[in-house]
Amino acid sequence: MRLSPESLSVLPLVFGVALGPSTVGAAAFPHAGQPAGLIDNADGGNLFQDARGSALDGLTWLRESVSEIIFGRPSTTISEDSDSTSSPSAAPLSRYRDDVVVRFNVADPTNQIVLHQVVKEKNWEVWASTPEFVDIRLKKDQLKVIPPSLETQWNVLVPDLEEAVQATYPAKNDAGNFPDVAEKLGAAYMKGNIFFHDYQPLSVITSWMALMETMFPSIAEMSSIGDSFEGRPIHSFRIGDHSDDNANNGTRKAILVTGGLHGREWISTSTVTYLLWSIITAYGKESMVTKLLKHFDIIFIPVLNPDGYEYTWKTDRLWRKSRQETKVSYCRGFDLDQAFGFAWDQTKSQVDPCSESYGGDEPFQAIEATRLANWGRNQTESGVKFVGFLDLHSYSQQILFPYTFTCDEDPPNRENLEELGVGLAKAIRLSSGNFYTVSSACEGTVAVKDTENEASGGSAIDWFYHELHSRYSYQVKLRDTGSYGFLLPRSQIIPTGEEMLNALKYFGDFLLGNNGIESISKPKWSHDKGKVDLK
């Protein structure tokens, strides 16, 4: 079950209050009028918008009650949906028939070399590549042509790709037919966390973000960093307490969290929205989060590649790139994580537009990468300092730091990056028991280099680290380690979100000088050793 935009548009009427006439809100709720329940203040605004008015405090309970009734509160558990008849909205499933995903053991360098040659010759689609294993999507009949030298080095991870794809789409009564608002609100109240029971399409995510902005106007701002190639807004959501901005000398430190650079990595988008919801609802309740939002803005961009994400819902669930036209008419799209300007010329796969790792014929040819870079530069010129960047992907449970483009050069603060990365992994392990490895991005994808679809040059984390001086820049590859790959079941949305929530809290606590969850009275590392200066 999920809330459709049409359902969200009538929520003001259901609760007898106005959700606010902001530009974003009005666009997301085109049918919402000004019901009689609107309470105006002396300045001509309404009480949901004027967070400074004392009367707003009296609406805190109402605001949070409405929010919790609609979406529930984050929890650490979720049961499997009893409805196993999930179906995509439009995407045909036959394209995945007779496909499997196979894992090759490449811990032996000899196996790396052999597999490298085979992948290059046969143009096999690599899903994941680490120093220990490589996962490849194949047709069942292609299993017969695996070289004899590798026949004992592989096993099938996903035996039925068609079934695995189908299981990731939300449950429905039938195509396009959802229960009415009253039924949804009742189910939301009974089950909780309704938004995170399923992966959500782009339209629902947009409406949900607009509602969150309206529910938390004192600390939230939804905006667009620009439009995608096909004209879809790339929405950002900023959370921060600016009540003491006069003490910040016109500057504001920020942590950026992005997801959805690659269309098929739905868990990255869902995790960003889970973090957004968890942080915004923890403000005023958890002292560390409240303190963090006084010192930092946290900016969430759940879907950086909206065209690719939309395409995965309607046409091809496993589409990776953007949908921009290339020099080859029948090969669309750019790999956004090989399209940024730093070390772009080190990219080895840019020559073939049909390659899933095609970054373009020049840096920033991909519209969406350009939008993010221009927005980031404009932010810094306006007094924002990006001190942290978390770029969420899937899969393989890795925490990767710069550099991506080379293993021959270390970033100046590698020890600090590694220390914090290990802390993030520990926070996840203490939360769920899951292990995340920590390494530089180059070292983390060393196997079958040049042929797998991982970034080598032009990556987002390298660009933010080098160009915008985001000294704690990481790419986090979320669950799992291969049982489902890009097709993580819906039941793992909340557990994955909880893992990253603990990691984000550690990240914030570290930046506040408390060395993460193992906080001490004074920072362990001084500014001259690379620690972020909070003065």
Side-chain angles (χ1 to χ4, degrees), residues 435-509:
F435 286 83
Y436 279 58
T437 61
V438 180
S439 70
S440 74
C442 174
E443 295 165 341
T445 56
V446 68
V448 252
K449 206 68 176 176
D450 303 342
T451 59
E452 91 307 321
N453 56 19
E454 306 301 336
S456 53
S459 74
I461 62 169
D462 284 1
W463 189 86
F464 267 86
Y465 179 83
H466 187 270
E467 299 297 326
L468 296 191
H469 310 295
S470 178
R471 307 321 289 168
Y472 292 98
S473 182
Y474 297 89
Q475 182 180 106
V476 181
K477 295 191 176 180
L478 304 166
R479 294 187 184 189
D480 59 1
T481 56
S483 298
Y484 299 99
F486 300 117
L487 304 173
L488 202 66
R490 303 185 304 272
S491 60
Q492 295 200 34
I493 293 173
I494 290 176
T496 305
E498 279 293 309
E499 285 182 347
M500 275 310 299
L501 176 59
N502 279 274
L504 180 57
K505 287 180 178 179
Y506 185 102
F507 194 100
D509 209 22

Side-chain angles (χ1 to χ4, degrees), residues 1-50:
M1 296 177 67
R2 69 172 186 263
L3 291 175
S4 67
E6 292 76 17
S7 298
L8 286 170
S9 69
V10 300
L11 287 176
L13 302 179
V14 173
F15 292 100
V17 294
L19 291 184
S22 67
T23 302
V24 175
F29 305 102
H31 305 296
Q34 300 293 330
L38 177 63
I39 306 174
D40 293 326
N41 63 22
D43 297 325
N46 66 66
L47 294 181
F48 271 99
Q49 288 182 303
D50 188 0

Side-chain angles (χ1 to χ4, degrees), residues 64 129 171 183 217 254 300:
E64 295 183 359
S129 175
E183 181 181 345
F300 300 92

Side-chain angles (χ1 to χ4, degrees), residues 186-229:
Y189 182 78
M190 294 298 293
K191 295 179 68 175
N193 293 315
I194 188 171
F195 186 78
F196 303 107
H197 280 180
D198 283 317
Y199 293 109
Q200 303 294 350
L202 185 64
S203 60
V204 174
I205 292 171
T206 300
S207 295
W208 178 84
M209 290 170 68
L211 180 61
M212 290 301 99
E213 179 192 36
T214 310
M215 290 291 185
F216 301 89
S218 64
I219 59 171
E221 179 188 13
M222 180 181 175
S223 60
S224 171
I225 69 169
D227 288 349
S228 67
F229 172 75

